Amino acid sequence: MKQRVVRRQKLVCDACYAAEEIDHLSYDMIGKRCPHCDTVMLTAEDYRIYYRLEWRFKLREWFWRLKAALGFKVEHGLISRSVITEGELVFEARRKGLL
């Protein structure tokens, strides 16, 4: 049975930690204000870091698909969590299991 990929994203305020679930982070959300404390939840710098991280994941996925198509053994099951706060990226990854 194939595992289902779950991608949950939350936009979290750096000041009061109020969280808002979102479907996908987009360029239009830059400058979005927190409903509780009225500070900016997503800056242009945070979005730039997120966008670069997303492209790295897409390139890695394409590379895995190419390896599988060529007949190489490909291990799946990488679980990751990334947090971007005030221009800093914290990335955690593990091969199977929970974070």
Side-chain angles (χ1 to χ4, degrees):
M1 175 166 44
K2 190 173 184 177
Q3 258 187 344
R4 183 171 171 231
V5 176
V6 178
R7 296 185 67 181
R8 291 179 290 197
Q9 291 185 339
K10 290 183 182 179
L11 193 57
V12 180
C13 177
D14 292 339
C16 70
Y17 301 106
E20 178 182 325
E21 291 231 3
I22 56 175
D23 292 330
H24 186 72
L25 201 60
S26 66
Y27 183 79
D28 302 334
M29 292 181 165
I30 293 176
K32 183 175 175 79
R33 302 199 82 67
C34 176
H36 299 286
C37 65
D38 201 42
T39 59
V40 176
M41 293 176 79
L42 181 67
T43 64
E45 180 68 17
D46 291 343
Y47 182 77
R48 185 186 67 79
I49 293 170
Y50 165 79
Y51 189 75
R52 289 178 60 197
L53 183 65
E54 276 292 308
W55 267 105
R56 287 181 186 158
F57 279 133
K58 287 180 184 179
L59 286 174
R60 179 178 285 168
E61 182 180 337
W62 293 338
F63 179 69
W64 283 343
R65 287 183 182 182
L66 178 63
K67 278 180 69 174
L70 293 175
F72 292 99
K73 181 180 176 185
V74 178
E75 286 190 28
H76 295 284
L78 180 69
I79 299 168
S80 65
R81 175 175 49 205
S82 57
V83 178
I84 302 169
T85 305
E86 297 177 8
E88 294 291 320
L89 170 67
V90 177
F91 181 78
E92 300 174 19
R94 182 176 292 166
R95 285 253 180 238
K96 301 180 184 171
L98 299 173
L99 281 177

